[in-house]
């Protein structure tokens, strides 16, 4: 197999990426709510229910004393128990990646560090 030309190798740099959607498959946290999900984890095992975790950093509004989206809406209204979640993970552009896991929110945790 021939190696790609040098210019193609420079443009083929991929970084890990994840996309989390809430409520509907196309309502991503970043595009629709202005929230960046970091530390996205998916745990899939044979004969067991899948598990997912993600972190939404820097969304506490000290003046309002609430967790808020970039658009000023309460974050905890988005993360209600039973909300449907879609998670895509992979390298490079996420637009064509298949869904890795779909599930429902059953736990919401906060931490201050």
């Amino acid at each position: 197999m021939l190696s790609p030309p040098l210019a193609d190798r420079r443009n083929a740099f991929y970084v890990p990426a994840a996309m989390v959607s809430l409520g509907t498959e196309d309502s991503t946290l970043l595009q629709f709510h202005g929230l960046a999900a970091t530390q996205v984890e998916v745990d899939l095992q044979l004969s067991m229910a899948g598990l997912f975790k993600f972190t939404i950093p820097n969304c506490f509004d000290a003046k309002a004393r609430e967790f808020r989206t970039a658009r000023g809406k309460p974050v905890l209204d988005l993360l209600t128990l039973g909300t449907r979640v879609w998670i895509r993970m992979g390298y490079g552009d996420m637009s064509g990646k298949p869904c890795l896991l779909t599930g429902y929110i059953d736990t919401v945790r906060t931490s201050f560090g």
Side-chain angles (χ1 to χ4, degrees), residues 8 18-20 38 47-48 64 75 77 81 85-86 89-90 111 113:
D8 290 342
M19 185 167 57
V20 178
T38 62
S47 302
M48 299 197 58
V75 171
D77 287 354
L81 300 180
V85 177
W86 288 262
M89 295 176 82
S111 68

Side-chain angles (χ1 to χ4, degrees), residues 45-89:
Q45 297 181 26
L46 290 174
S47 302
M48 299 197 58
L51 178 82
F52 65 88
K53 296 179 185 180
F54 58 89
T55 302
I56 302 173
N58 304 321
C59 65
F60 187 74
D61 182 347
K63 286 184 181 180
R65 296 182 182 185
E66 264 190 321
F67 293 98
R68 298 261 182 185
T69 69
R71 294 169 177 84
K73 296 184 178 178
V75 171
L76 296 178
D77 287 354
L78 296 172
L79 302 174
T80 58
L81 300 180
T83 299
R84 187 109 187 246
V85 177
W86 288 262
I87 298 180
R88 288 176 163 62
M89 295 176 82

Side-chain angles (χ1 to χ4, degrees), residues 11-28:
N11 293 330
F13 180 71
Y14 293 109
V15 294
M19 185 167 57
V20 178
S21 298
L22 293 176
T24 61
E25 192 170 3
D26 62 342
S27 64
T28 64

